[in-house]
Amino acid sequence: MALLDHLKELRNRLFKSAIAVVLGTVVGFLVYQPMLAALIKPISDLNEHEGRQATLNFDGVASSFDLMIQVSVFLGLIVASPVWLYQLWAFIVPGLHKKERRLALSFVAAAVPLFVGGVLLAWLVLPNAVRVLTDFTPSGGSNFISAQVYLSFVLRLLLAFGIAFLLPVVLVGLNLAGVIKGKQLVKSWRITVFLVCLFAAMAAPGADAMSMFYLAGPMLLLFFAAIGICLLNDRRRERRAVKRAAETEATAGQATPSSELENL
């Protein structure tokens, strides 16, 4: 397609994704209260089980409303993830062959549980991260935590884990599109490990090392699994290219049938 057609398609994909996120945000509004109670549970657990004094404060007139918008939009992103992930892949799919297109659709199906799985893993890490970070409070001190700062920390943690789990799928997609090869990823595995750990250190909003390891460990497993899939896909392409070259060489010395010459 021409550049203008690509831009029109991108606009349409973004519009459909935005509609899905808006509808998901409406669902987020409906479940906001129980979701908020679950998000602030690690703070209440500090008071009940750890014997500490920790309170969540709303430091502005509109703070509670702003937080409701943020949490609802985040829930909308999760609810609408099948739609916007499909739209992302559908924008890439036209550049692939028919067989590769079917394979890409299978990775779309894998992207949604990976994204949700990353969010769920972050949910499991959250209580430990809150406990470790508040351990730095001096003896006799109290934690008066801003609700805006706390929920921003929680949402960034959940979103970072979800997006991080999508990166291996992007690698496979780039391999399907012929942008990168599995051998290139194998040669740069040391750099990959370093970049994954660096990303985990930057993406995990907490200062504790455990959050970084909780994120880096699954990411490394997924990255190496993606490298294996890329290598298998490269071998399949090489076998197909060899077969095509052999067929071309076999038919190169044959005379063109008279019927085909008449058609020409």
Side-chain angles (χ1 to χ4, degrees):
M1 291 188 293
L3 177 60
L4 184 60
D5 294 331
H6 276 294
L7 293 177
K8 288 181 179 179
E9 184 186 5
L10 179 61
R11 180 194 60 188
N12 293 335
R13 300 290 182 192
L14 290 175
F15 180 75
K16 293 176 182 178
S17 299
I19 293 295
V21 172
V22 169
L23 295 177
T25 302
V26 174
V27 177
F29 274 115
L30 298 177
V31 298
Y32 169 71
Q33 291 298 335
M35 188 63 186
L36 180 65
L39 289 175
I40 64 177
K41 189 176 183 300
I43 300 296
S44 59
D45 287 344
L46 290 177
N47 296 323
E48 296 178 6
H49 305 296
E50 301 290 335
R52 305 178 194 173
Q53 185 178 357
T55 57
L56 206 63
N57 301 304
F58 294 87
D59 52 3
V61 176
S63 295
S64 56
F65 179 75
D66 292 340
L67 291 176
M68 182 174 65
I69 297 294
Q70 293 179 22
V71 174
S72 299
V73 171
F74 179 78
L75 292 175
L77 285 173
I78 297 178
V79 172
S81 59
V83 177
W84 58 262
L85 285 172
Y86 172 78
Q87 295 300 327
L88 172 64
W89 281 105
F91 184 71
I92 302 174
V93 163
L96 303 177
H97 298 291
K98 187 176 181 180
K99 292 182 179 179
E100 292 173 333
R101 191 175 303 178
R102 288 198 298 266
L103 187 60
L105 289 177
S106 67
F107 283 104
V108 174
V112 174
L114 280 176
F115 177 76
V116 176
V119 173
L120 290 177
L121 178 61
W123 185 269
L124 297 176
V125 172
L126 177 62
N128 182 65
V130 172
R131 180 183 58 80
V132 170
L133 291 175
T134 53
D135 277 342
F136 292 99
T137 304
S139 179
S142 301
N143 292 286
F144 296 96
I145 305 171
S146 169
Q148 185 110 20
V149 173
Y150 172 75
L151 287 179
S152 176
F153 162 82
V154 172
L155 296 181
R156 283 192 294 117
L157 179 68
L158 299 177
L159 192 60
F161 272 61
I163 293 177
F165 274 44
L166 286 178
L167 293 181
V169 184
V170 175
L171 272 182
V172 175
L174 293 175
N175 177 260
L176 288 173
V179 178
I180 58 176
K181 293 185 178 181
K183 292 181 180 179
Q184 294 174 337
L185 297 175
V186 172
K187 291 179 180 178
S188 59
W189 71 269
R190 294 180 180 85
I191 299 177
T192 300
V193 172
F194 172 75
L195 292 178
V196 166
C197 294
L198 180 63
F199 175 83
M202 296 175 62
D208 59 307
M210 292 306 298
S211 296
M212 185 192 77
F213 287 122
Y214 282 138
L215 178 57
M219 277 186 66
L220 288 174
L221 292 177
L222 291 173
F223 264 101
F224 284 114
I227 290 174
I229 294 173
C230 291
L231 289 173
L232 292 175
N233 185 55
D234 290 341
R235 290 180 183 177
R236 181 181 60 84
R237 281 181 175 173
E238 290 174 0
R239 288 196 300 266
R240 188 174 59 188
V242 170
K243 182 179 178 180
R244 188 184 299 114
E247 291 176 351
T248 303
E249 184 178 354
T251 58
Q254 297 179 3
T256 306
S258 58
S259 58
E260 294 185 10
L261 290 174
E262 291 176 0
N263 292 332
L264 291 175

